[in-house]
């Protein structure tokens, strides 16, 4: 086969060959060692502020070993990273920037295949978006989830338990000393969140899409199996180059439909909706919100994990991991899709066995009958909004309440715990001006329960926002309202005291105000002032698509598969 890297190292022009081979020699790479072998770019995404991806500092060496053992030649490259804990106000804009980093690095360099080292929330979808755009053989390796810990003789998990402890703290059940003790133990190792948050969801989806080796999505960060997976990933990518098993053969329309069904069965993160739409969009595949509702309508929740259940990722791995979940879903899947091994989904997963039936249930006796993403539309969200059914309160799924409106995060934080806030347990909390164009869509949508209601024992309320929420969060939280308030969506003109009607069963979210009144309010309202007038965030605000379109940048999303074709560089003199 003709390797792509040969354009650099075996170029017809002696001058061009000389320049590229000489540049490789400067780093100690002797031409006889790499010419004629697949050059594998290993894209490392750790930095010292990203504890989720930090294990890749070590794992990369095992990937390199696997590449060498399979007859390839590894080169390590570094991209930006997206440490969700620290990137403020939102890491979502940098998903797109990281995807561009991956895409353009692949495009411009002599690489035949790539291994993408992922974990933290946005690194996984960013890499998949970049890989989809280039369509060179690519394989992801996750860092794994961090260890759980104990607090007051109770097992605790970073992520979901954090939110419940914060509510208890505000309710007066814990003091500052308790909080300091919790801080010291809740996040006790490197790796992703040990629950079915966005990191675990997207790793699972990557494996379902054929972009991660079967059986590797759920391995803990501290487990030796992670190193084994790293070596196997290095070996397999060399084989994929020789087979030309490229992302467009793996991430097909059918594979995305399977991924949506898996998302429902896992009780996965709402963030996955945006990411799946964006990844598919890079391939010229357009997924609408209605497909999430339709494809997950009959999918029960068969995985009992936080935030929708009680167990953690260690329990999930002990129960067999993702394999038995896919095995039990096979009757509902398009099982001829390919895995990263080139086998079909049915061939690969049909014999995977459940080892702990309390963690992974089955279709006939699921953990919960209703799961998946509820898609809501109405005059408050003309293009749609979403809610995770499995993490919401059943009693609130049909609700009517008066709006309590916050015009931004800072105002909300200033007012939410005031004793004079006019709010009761039936109120509908609304946070706006936090959408993609306004603030980059931070994870602010899980509006805190007002302190005075926490003290009364209230632990859930209907909350509505044009922001996102952490995949580790829970509650009756309606997110991704589209169009967002900042681009003159109806959410912009909701007033305190307006009645809001929510009906999950019928998929409606309605502001009980006439169409004429909504139009009048929009005409009288002022546009939101632009916060950023330069730099990447100006570019992002000018070109970001709305939530129902995946929040990619408009110029990165092709209109069809023809436009999605990769444009290679002209290889010439340096």
């Amino acid at each position: 086969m003709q390797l792509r890297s040969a354009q650099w190292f075996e170029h017809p022009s002696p001058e061009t060959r000389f320049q590229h081979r000489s540049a490789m020699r400067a780093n100690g790479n002797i031409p006889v060692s790499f010419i004629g072998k697949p050059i594998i770019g290993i894209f490392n995404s750790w930095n010292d502020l990203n504890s989720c991806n930090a294990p890749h500092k070590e794992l990369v060496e095992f990937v390199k070993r696997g590449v060498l053992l399979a007859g390839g030649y590894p080169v390590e490259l570094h991209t930006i990273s997206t440490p969700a804990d620290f990137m403020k106000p939102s890491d979502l804009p940098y998903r797109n920037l990281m995807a561009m980093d991956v895409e353009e690095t692949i495009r411009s360099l002599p690489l035949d295949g790539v291994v993408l080292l992922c974990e933290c929330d946005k690194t996984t979808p960013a890499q998949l978006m970049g890989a989809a755009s280039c369509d060179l053989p690519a394989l992801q390796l996750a860092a794994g989830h961090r260890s759980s810990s104990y607090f007051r003789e109770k097992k605790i998990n970073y992520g979901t338990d954090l939110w419940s402890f914060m509510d208890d703290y505000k309710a007066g059940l814990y003091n500052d000393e308790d909080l300091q003790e919790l801080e010291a133990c809740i996040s006790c190792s490197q790796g992703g969140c040990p629950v079915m948050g966005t990191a675990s969801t997207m790793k699972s989806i990557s494996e379902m899409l054929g972009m991660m080796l079967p059986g590797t999505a759920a391995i803990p960060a501290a487990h030796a199996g992670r190193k084994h997976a790293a070596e196997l990933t290095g070996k397999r990518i060399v084989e994929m180059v020789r087979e030309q098993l490229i992302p467009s053969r793996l991430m097909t329309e059918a594979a995305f439909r399977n991924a949506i069904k898996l998302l429902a069965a896992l009780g996965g993160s709402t963030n996955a909706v945006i990411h799946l739409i964006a990844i598919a969009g890079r391939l010229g595949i357009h997924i609408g919100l209605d497909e999430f509702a339709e494809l997950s309508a009959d999918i029960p929740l068969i995985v009992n994990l936080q935030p929708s259940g009680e167990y953690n990722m260690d329990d999930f791995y002990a129960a067999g991991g993702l394999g038995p979940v896919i095995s039990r879903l096979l009757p509902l899947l398009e099982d001829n899709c390919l895995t990263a091994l080139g086998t079909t989904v049915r061939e690969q997963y049909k014999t995977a066995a459940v080892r702990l039936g309390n963690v992974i249930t089955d279709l006939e006796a699921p953990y919960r009958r209703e799961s998946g993403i509820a898609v809501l539309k109405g005059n408050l969200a003309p293009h749609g909004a979403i809610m995770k059914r499995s993490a919401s309160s059943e009693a609130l799924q049909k609700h009517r309440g008066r709006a309590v409106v916050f015009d931004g995060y800072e105002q909300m934080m200033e007012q939410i715990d005031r004793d004079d806030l006019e709010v009761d347990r039936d109120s509908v909390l609304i946070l706006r001006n936090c959408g993609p164009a306004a603030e980059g869509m931070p994870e602010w949508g899980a509006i805190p329960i007002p302190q005075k209601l926490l003290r009364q024992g209230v632990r859930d309320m209907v909350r509505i926002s044009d922001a996102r929420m952490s995949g580790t969060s829970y509650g009756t939280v309606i997110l991704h309202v589209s169009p967002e308030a900042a681009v003159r969506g109806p959410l912009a003109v909701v007033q305190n005291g307006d009645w809001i009607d929510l009906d999950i069963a019928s998929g409606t979210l309605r502001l009980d105000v006439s169409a004429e009144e909504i139009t009048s309010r929009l005409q009288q309202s002022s546009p939101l002032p632009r916060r950023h007038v330069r730099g990447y965030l100006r570019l992002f605000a000018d070109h970001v698509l709305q939530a129902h379109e995946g929040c990619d940048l408009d110029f990165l999303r092709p209109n069809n598969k023809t436009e999605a074709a990769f444009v290679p560089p002209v290889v010439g003199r340096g």
Side-chain angles (χ1 to χ4, degrees):
M1 63 171 293
Q2 182 67 25
L3 294 171
R4 180 174 180 265
S5 58
Q7 298 175 63
W8 280 260
F9 302 121
E10 299 177 76
H11 196 279
S13 165
E15 177 187 61
T16 302
R17 289 198 308 271
F18 177 90
Q19 286 184 324
H20 296 142
R21 294 183 187 190
S22 176
M24 288 291 280
R25 284 181 182 272
N27 272 340
N29 301 294
I30 304 171
V32 70
S33 297
F34 63 83
I35 288 177
K37 297 179 180 178
I39 306 295
I40 304 300
I42 306 171
F43 283 60
N44 210 330
S45 62
W46 73 270
N47 67 32
D48 282 339
L49 288 176
N50 194 335
S51 59
C52 300
N53 294 34
H56 286 308
K57 295 170 73 172
E58 179 183 17
L59 289 173
V60 67
E61 300 303 325
F62 292 86
V63 179
K64 291 177 182 178
R65 185 167 72 186
V67 171
L68 289 168
L69 287 170
Y73 200 83
V75 292
E76 183 178 354
L77 308 110
H78 291 260
T79 64
I80 68 165
S81 194
T82 57
D85 288 333
F86 290 106
M87 281 190 139
K88 306 300 179 186
S90 172
D91 55 348
L92 183 63
Y94 303 101
R95 178 202 69 174
N96 296 352
L97 185 59
M98 185 178 182
M100 293 171 68
D101 189 355
V102 170
E103 177 180 351
E104 298 307 329
T105 302
I106 293 174
R107 184 197 312 277
S108 60
L109 294 177
L111 304 176
D112 299 300
V114 294
V115 173
L116 305 161
L117 306 184
C118 64
E119 182 66 32
C120 197
D121 289 15
K122 307 306 169 295
T123 59
T124 304
Q127 291 173 349
L128 290 174
M129 290 161 69
S133 296
C134 294
D135 213 22
L136 262 66
L139 203 51
Q140 286 194 299
L141 174 74
H145 60 270
R146 67 188 65 189
S147 302
S148 297
S149 186
Y150 284 85
F151 177 70
R152 307 289 170 82
E153 301 181 357
K154 178 187 175 184
K155 182 177 281 191
I156 54 171
N157 305 302
Y158 183 73
T160 302
D161 285 333
L162 170 66
W163 312 120
S164 61
F165 276 114
M166 289 301 105
D167 283 348
D168 289 345
Y169 171 74
K170 287 173 62 178
L173 302 180
Y174 292 102
N175 59 32
D176 289 341
E177 289 184 4
D178 297 326
L179 208 60
Q180 289 179 6
E181 182 182 343
L182 179 65
E183 176 190 313
C185 69
I186 195 170
S187 188
C188 61
S189 77
Q190 296 172 334
C193 295
V195 298
M196 192 51 69
T198 306
S200 296
T201 301
M202 292 310 301
K203 287 183 293 185
S204 301
I205 283 174
S206 179
E207 183 174 327
M208 183 82 261
L209 289 172
M211 296 298 291
M212 192 175 288
L213 282 183
T216 65
I219 303 171
H223 198 290
R226 267 285 151 223
K227 297 181 178 68
H228 305 160
E231 182 177 313
L232 291 172
T233 298
K235 289 179 178 178
R236 178 57 189 155
I237 190 59
V238 177
E239 296 168 354
M240 291 173 72
V241 171
R242 292 173 176 145
E243 297 166 11
Q244 279 302 287
L245 186 55
I246 54 179
S248 60
R249 291 180 59 195
L250 298 167
M251 293 193 285
T252 61
E253 289 96 332
F256 280 105
R257 289 193 290 269
N258 286 345
I260 291 171
K261 293 177 180 180
L262 177 66
L263 174 64
L266 293 171
S269 170
T270 50
N271 285 306
V273 176
I274 289 176
H275 299 326
L276 278 167
I277 293 171
I279 297 163
R282 291 296 187 93
L283 292 158
I285 300 170
H286 292 264
I287 300 175
L289 283 186
D290 290 341
E291 290 186 64
F292 286 87
E294 294 164 4
L295 291 170
S296 63
D298 299 322
I299 308 291
L301 180 66
I302 63 173
V303 177
N304 180 5
L305 292 187
Q306 289 186 356
S308 299
E310 55 185 308
Y311 294 103
N312 63 25
M313 285 297 292
D314 283 341
D315 301 314
F316 184 56
Y317 181 65
L322 188 63
V325 177
I326 296 176
S327 176
R328 296 197 164 184
L329 279 179
L330 280 175
L332 305 176
L333 298 179
E334 296 175 62
D335 58 12
N336 59 342
C337 292
L338 295 180
T339 71
L341 291 174
T343 55
T344 67
V345 168
R346 171 163 290 279
E347 291 168 338
Q348 191 62 45
Y349 294 105
K350 64 183 178 182
T351 60
V354 175
R355 295 195 287 265
L356 294 174
N358 54 338
V359 179
I360 300 174
T361 61
D362 55 42
L363 296 175
E364 291 72 32
Y367 179 61
R368 285 183 63 168
R369 286 288 172 191
E370 287 193 343
S371 186
I373 301 297
V375 175
L376 307 165
K377 292 186 177 179
N379 65 355
L380 193 53
H383 294 155
I386 65 170
M387 188 194 77
K388 187 197 289 191
R389 288 190 294 180
S390 60
S392 64
S393 298
E394 188 173 346
L396 292 174
Q397 294 198 9
K398 186 176 178 64
H399 184 79
R400 178 175 170 85
R402 289 190 179 274
V404 177
V405 181
F406 304 103
D407 281 317
Y409 179 78
E410 291 166 323
Q411 183 194 82
M412 182 268 290
M413 292 302 291
E414 178 186 337
Q415 297 179 3
I416 194 72
D417 291 330
R418 287 174 53 164
D419 287 336
D420 61 352
L421 181 69
E422 294 186 10
V423 64
D424 60 37
R425 67 178 61 228
D426 294 321
S427 298
V428 175
L429 305 180
I430 291 182
L431 175 63
R432 63 190 177 202
N433 298 321
C434 303
E439 291 283 3
M441 213 176 178
E443 293 181 337
W444 293 341
I447 306 165
I449 304 297
Q451 188 170 39
K452 68 180 183 180
L453 297 182
L454 287 170
R455 289 169 178 161
Q456 297 170 23
V458 176
R459 287 296 185 272
D460 194 13
M461 299 174 68
V462 174
R463 289 159 276 178
I464 301 173
S465 179
D466 49 12
R468 298 178 296 124
M469 77 174 183
S470 167
T472 65
S473 296
Y474 51 87
T476 311
V477 185
I478 294 130
L479 304 156
H480 309 183
V481 171
S482 182
E484 63 178 295
V487 298
R488 318 314 298 140
L491 191 68
V493 294
V494 180
Q495 297 177 358
N496 284 315
D498 283 347
W499 286 99
I500 306 288
D501 291 309
L502 166 67
D503 190 340
I504 301 299
S506 65
T508 56
L509 179 64
R510 182 174 170 274
L511 173 65
D512 194 3
V513 170
S514 68
E516 293 77 15
E517 175 63 16
I518 291 174
T519 300
S520 175
R521 290 183 187 181
L522 283 170
Q523 290 172 345
Q524 296 173 34
S525 64
S526 301
L528 189 71
R530 180 186 292 277
R531 183 184 289 269
H532 298 283
V533 296
R534 59 166 301 279
Y536 175 69
L537 291 180
R538 164 69 184 271
L539 177 74
F540 183 86
D542 284 350
H543 292 279
V544 66
L545 298 168
Q546 287 292 291
H548 70 285
E549 298 174 299
C551 295
D552 202 356
L553 302 181
D554 54 15
F555 58 84
L556 294 174
R557 183 181 185 183
N559 291 315
N560 51 56
K561 291 184 178 181
T562 301
E563 289 185 8
F566 178 65
V567 179
V570 175
V571 180
R573 62 160 53 188

